[in-house]
Amino acid sequence: MVKHRSSSRSTTSSSARLFSIKAISVYLIIIFAFTIWVFVFSSINIQNDDQTQHRDPRKNLQKPSDDLDLDSQLWIPPFSYGLHPCVKPSPRYKEFVESDRYITVRSNGGLNQMRTGIADIVAVAHIMNATLVIPELDKRSFWRDSSVFSDIFDEEHFIKSLGRDVKVIKKLPKEVESLPRARKHFSSWASVGYYEEMRHLWKEYKVIHVAKSDSRLANNDLPIDIQRLRCRVLYRGLRFSPAIESLGQKLVERLKSRAGRFIALHLRYEKDMLAFTGCTYGLTDAESEELRVMRESTSHWKIKSINSTEQREEGLCPLTPKEVGIFLKGLGYPESTVIYIAAGEIYGGDDRLLELKSRFPNLVFKEMLAGEEELKGFTGHATKTAALDYIISVESDVFVPSHSGNMARAVEGHRRFLGHRRTITPDRKGLVKLFNKVERGQIKEGAKFSNLVKAMHQDRQGAPRRRNGPAQGIKGRARFRTEEAFYENPYPECICSSKEHKEH
């Protein structure tokens, strides 16, 4: 009996020890698994930014209910999924190193073509480790504006804000002014590697003069720090001059106080645009001929013979004022909507606006918001007035461009950067088909027409999405031309979701 009890106690003790070892093992496995889970979760969160958001932000985040009243659907911004600006350099970013090499540049085009071009050239100067001389603005474009950099932009802020990125000076030092310069027309949509190769020019020259500034960098496949530098320049560094900024904000306030909320319509129905695109739909024979002569006589416009009907049916023409009125009414905007016209002189004058005004009588122009004395310094300076239009367009409740030009793309990108403010991009090709049916009497303006317009533009309201790549089937360098412009949609490089990169 004694032996039996002793054996029983021994067996019980062994079982207890075995159970204790198993429990500890299970406990350790649980702790190990939890540690692995935390590590993986943290890695995924970090990769949200460092790997530039390769997933669509909308897939894992719940969108609020679409059960909103019609009025709200017309005005509130699309759901932004918690996305926010992120332009801070990464820990790997290399700040500029002082050098005795210089880049001078002549910016080309209108206001926004110059703005985006300047942002590219700052990045190029950073890559090539060169000091940038304040860019010279275009004085030979259609508008022939004599303004210099400091007339349009806050020069001191531009220099100081880029202090970590590139050295910017107002003019070349006297000792290098007379030195020979490498006059270079850099390749369009170039990579970082291309500019690293261009450093060989420093062996023979101390100054490189760049003939054109626009589209000097590729839209995609650049290091994230170069992409964020471009955004820092465009959205933080290139601030308008105090005089422009002050008046622009005053006009926004006056519009808000008058209307509460408003649409900014970039009505690209100006003489140069119509002549360049060859779009003559709705014009008289005399007007069509005037535009043809202008196109023929403008040497840097390469395409001279254009079929206007084909252009329009392909969606390559700006919407006419009448078409814009039909479009906005089809979207559901009421007759009382206040519409700010962001544009130069409309071709055909007030008569051409009658069809738009009959549908939306509350059209507002900058001359109606500002006094003659306030606009005195802007007269004859198209770049300055375009800057006012830009400020008002960015700050509007809804932005609608009638054509996808430089300003339309720049404003859309800026509004995306600031929180995906409502930006309605007309499907011009699809709309032309509807407009033609209206003309032929196959459909009338009304509920059915409105439903078709709304369905066509359901996903064209400025909601978050990744930038579009090149068109399918296009090979070689031609594919770069078909890509969506970086400044039109700087997501994902300059727009992030993770809390670590939240910027105030």
Side-chain angles (χ1 to χ4, degrees), residues 394-408:
V394 168
E395 296 298 330
S396 64
D397 298 277
V398 178
F399 175 64
V400 180
S402 68
H403 192 262
S404 55
N406 291 308
M407 177 165 168

Side-chain angles (χ1 to χ4, degrees), residues 20-80:
S20 177
I21 292 170
K22 285 182 177 179
I24 291 171
S25 298
V26 170
Y27 181 69
L28 289 172
I29 289 170
I30 291 172
I31 291 176
F32 179 74
F34 179 74
T35 303
I36 293 296
W37 180 82
V38 169
F39 174 77
V40 170
F41 180 81
S42 300
S43 298
I44 291 172
N45 193 35
I46 291 170
Q47 288 172 356
N48 268 343
D49 291 314
D50 289 347
Q51 295 187 3
T52 67
Q53 309 275 345
H54 286 294
R55 294 183 297 276
D56 191 318
R58 294 172 286 185
K59 289 184 178 177
N60 298 318
L61 291 168
Q62 187 174 359
K63 187 175 181 179
S65 171
D66 288 331
D67 190 22
L68 298 169
D69 61 87
L70 177 61
D71 190 61
S72 296
Q73 290 180 37
L74 291 172
W75 295 101
I76 64 170
F79 185 54
S80 63

Side-chain angles (χ1 to χ4, degrees), residues 83-115:
L83 296 171
H84 54 82
C86 53
V87 296
K88 290 180 180 177
S90 76
R92 299 181 296 275
Y93 183 65
K94 294 181 180 179
E95 296 184 10
F96 87 93
V97 179
E98 191 85 27
S99 78
D100 59 351
R101 300 157 178 170
Y102 303 88
I103 288 179
T104 62
V105 59
R106 174 175 289 164
S107 298
N108 59 298
L111 172 68
N112 290 289
Q113 192 171 343
M114 290 192 291
R115 287 178 68 249

Side-chain angles (χ1 to χ4, degrees), residues 386-432:
L388 292 178
D389 284 339
Y390 183 89
I391 292 170
I392 295 170
S393 296
V394 168
E395 296 298 330
S396 64
D397 298 277
V398 178
F399 175 64
V400 180
S402 68
H403 192 262
S404 55
N406 291 308
M407 177 165 168
R409 291 193 291 268
V411 171
E412 179 178 349
H414 202 158
R415 289 172 68 85
R416 287 181 178 278
F417 180 78
L418 293 174
H420 291 88
R421 298 172 178 178
R422 187 171 291 275
T423 301
I424 305 174
T425 309
D427 178 354
R428 296 190 303 277
K429 188 173 182 178
L431 284 172
V432 164

